[in-house]
Amino acid sequence: MMRILSYLILLALIGYGVWPYYTVYQLDKAIVQPATEPLAELLDLPAIRANYKQRVTAGVKDALPENAPDPHGVMSWIGQNLTRLGDAALDQVITPEWAQRTLRDAVTESTKQTPAYLLAAMDFAFFESHNRFLIRIGDLGQGATHIRLSLIGGQWKITDIITSVTAIN
């Protein structure tokens, strides 16, 4: 009985370890599809937008002085409005179409082939933690694109796409 329980636990661990790779396979098929619906099912757009907002906000804080001499001055006003406008812009720009284009471009750049197949472009894919999985497209330090998957509601979903340049195409 103990042996059967051990085998079942081992089988469950192997299944859990293979699970995100099945999502990578689904992602590979979704990227080359002309429609974005298959990819949209694998995206957590609010999480992607939140991660981009965090990076954009950090960039704005670096560009603008934190301790402006006049709290009601032009620099403070610019900082506040960039943050507010940034939210609206991210909602309009970060869409399933944007994600598909960004991933296709990264895969095509890495493999120099069309159609762009993610499985051929992956340089690294492994767990960051028990509920986060990281995929790297391209060589580390050479403008790689990172795709972060998170386990949400029993499904692996893309929660961040980190490109070598954080500009949104």
Side-chain angles (χ1 to χ4, degrees), residues 23 32 56 62 92 101 103 106 116 137 144 158 168:
T23 303
V32 298
V56 168
D62 290 343
Q92 289 179 356
R101 185 177 61 249
L103 295 174
I137 301 170
I158 297 173
I168 300 173

Side-chain angles (χ1 to χ4, degrees), residues 129-151:
S129 67
H130 71 282
N131 63 349
R132 291 178 76 172
F133 191 81
L134 184 70
I135 302 166
R136 185 177 67 227
I137 301 170
D139 295 329
L140 189 61
Q142 302 296 319
T145 296
H146 295 84
I147 304 167
R148 182 168 291 129
L149 302 173
S150 298
L151 186 58

